[in-house]
Amino acid sequence: MENLMFVYCSCKVIWTLFVTILGYASSLPLGDDSICTAEELAKYSIIFTGKWSQTAFPKQYPLYRPPAQWSSMLGVTHSSDYSMWKKNEYASNGVRDFAEKGEAWVLMKEIEEAGEKIQSVHGIFSAPAISSGTGQTSTELQVHSRHPLVSFVVRIVPSPDWFVGIDSLNLCEGDHWMEEISVDLYPYDAGTDSGFTFSSPNFATIPQDTVTEITCSSPSHPANSFYYPKLKILPPIAQVTMVKLKKNQLGFPIPHLNQPAKSNEILDTFSETPLDCEVSQWSSWGLCRGPCRKTGTKIRTRFVVLHPANDGTPCPSLEEEAGCEPDNCV
């Protein structure tokens, strides 16, 4: 009888311990941020560098109405319970409005609601727009040990619904925060507008598609502004760098002394993307000209659709001549 009581008590203790562990585990946030044991708060300087130059992206490069430029940056620090946007998933109404028109109101409301409902958002940050394709802008952000992920979007202007950004980058590495990280950025299509070119008119995608990365071969259409079939990969169109700000003895962040150049002062060089000449189809043959009873000549022409750049294939002959027998001789 004593043995049975001992077994019963032992089972009861084990069951209680098991339930306690389950309850604790269920209270932890999901995802990679659950293992962050670094100090509670960290502050970073975030620097966005636009690399959208005519040298790197010569095809249909926007020069006016409007010229190539970047919208303001809108970002958030959060836990894995929140997602601003994800590749191969549908964009929210807020991301759609931001990617298509640069309007941030709906996206801001979505972020605020997520923070209120599930406590998944720690803070929102923004940086000024850049008035050209190449340039820099910066701001500061704060992460928390329970909210160590960073996401942001910057709209490509002009474009149908194209943007660059980061989805849920974890700045925490176990028991410490990253000191510095740089990430190359490539264009994404929000899946809400079907335009192929930078200046395409508004044409809603119905039904809505998922967010997809734009590459040198996808969409596989010659009209696509990023279509470079000779490349294996597009050069990065932008880059973001995050640098952890050190604290002084009073615990306040020390200003980042090596702030990068602002506006159009870019410190590194751009890759040169070769752009081959593209020409139209041949026109119909012209009239056959020449004296009667002798061989005459006829001509057809074509025109340049896209001029070559950066040592791309030069344009072929735009005029062709062939022999013929003159018509309507007198």
Side-chain angles (χ1 to χ4, degrees):
M1 186 68 179
E2 290 180 358
N3 289 339
L4 287 176
M5 286 295 295
F6 176 77
V7 170
Y8 171 75
C9 291
S10 299
C11 290
K12 188 173 181 180
V13 169
I14 293 171
W15 175 252
T16 302
L17 181 61
F18 178 69
V19 170
T20 303
I21 293 172
L22 276 181
Y24 173 74
S26 64
S27 68
L28 291 174
L30 300 174
D32 293 340
D33 51 330
S34 62
I35 59 171
C36 182
T37 58
E39 59 180 332
E40 193 173 64
L41 296 173
K43 204 165 189 178
Y44 283 81
S45 170
I46 178 169
I47 305 103
F48 177 89
T49 304
K51 296 189 173 185
W52 184 18
S53 69
Q54 192 171 6
T55 301
F57 299 91
K59 187 175 182 181
Q60 303 168 5
Y61 189 80
L63 296 173
Y64 56 91
R65 297 183 183 177
Q69 57 191 277
W70 299 96
S71 77
S72 57
M73 173 194 290
L74 181 60
V76 60
T77 56
H78 59 96
S79 70
S80 58
D81 295 321
Y82 172 78
S83 174
M84 176 183 268
W85 66 276
K86 275 193 181 302
K87 183 179 177 180
N88 298 327
E89 293 189 9
Y90 293 104
S92 67
N93 291 335
V95 171
R96 178 200 63 201
D97 286 357
F98 191 88
E100 289 188 10
K101 299 173 282 188
E103 296 177 358
W105 174 252
V106 177
L107 183 53
M108 289 279 289
K109 292 294 290 181
E110 290 175 353
I111 295 170
E112 290 172 3
E113 288 173 3
E116 291 172 0
K117 287 182 180 178
I118 53 178
Q119 304 295 305
S120 59
V121 172
H122 179 68
I124 299 174
F125 60 90
S126 63
I130 304 174
S131 60
S132 62
T134 59
Q136 290 181 325
T137 187
S138 64
T139 187
E140 293 181 358
L141 61 88
Q142 186 182 70
V143 285
H144 188 279
S145 57
R146 293 195 301 274
H147 304 86
L149 308 182
V150 175
S151 297
F152 71 82
V153 287
V154 180
R155 181 178 181 244
I156 298 172
V157 182
S159 74
D161 60 341
W162 302 342
F163 69 95
V164 298
I166 277 182
D167 166 37
S168 303
L169 175 66
N170 195 342
L171 295 181
C172 182
E173 294 184 311
D175 61 354
H176 66 278
W177 296 103
M178 290 184 183
E179 290 298 322
E180 182 173 342
I181 184 171
S182 292
V183 180
D184 287 333
L185 305 177
Y186 299 89
Y188 281 88
D189 186 324
T192 60
D193 192 291
S194 297
F196 268 130
T197 67
F198 296 120
S199 57
S200 292
N202 185 43
F203 187 65
T205 302
I206 301 175
Q208 180 179 332
D209 204 350
T210 58
V211 175
T212 55
E213 184 176 351
I214 300 172
T215 70
C216 56
S217 57
S218 178
S220 183
H221 194 292
N224 179 21
S225 293
F226 287 110
Y227 185 70
Y228 296 96
K230 286 191 173 181
L231 295 182
K232 291 184 178 179
I233 186 173
L234 284 175
I237 196 171
Q239 185 182 68
V240 67
T241 299
M242 282 170 267
V243 181
K244 186 174 180 288
L245 300 179
K246 300 185 183 300
K247 293 181 180 179
N248 60 21
Q249 292 181 347
L250 296 177
F252 297 107
I254 299 173
H256 190 52
L257 299 179
N258 297 320
Q259 283 286 358
K262 299 289 183 72
S263 186
N264 295 329
E265 301 175 44
I266 298 300
L267 304 180
D268 57 355
T269 58
F270 299 107
S271 59
E272 292 192 355
T273 301
L275 185 65
D276 297 339
C277 178
E278 294 181 13
V279 295
S280 66
Q281 297 293 320
W282 286 109
S283 66
S284 300
W285 287 103
L287 294 175
C288 185
R289 299 183 180 278
C292 292
R293 294 181 296 278
K294 291 186 178 181
T295 302
T297 58
K298 59 182 180 180
I299 295 174
R300 64 177 182 175
T301 60
R302 55 187 174 184
F303 58 89
V304 175
V305 175
L306 193 64
H307 290 277
N310 305 328
D311 296 322
T313 303
C315 294
S317 173
L318 302 179
E319 188 174 292
E320 188 175 60
E321 188 177 288
C324 59
E325 293 184 8
D327 297 324
N328 302 322
C329 282
V330 179

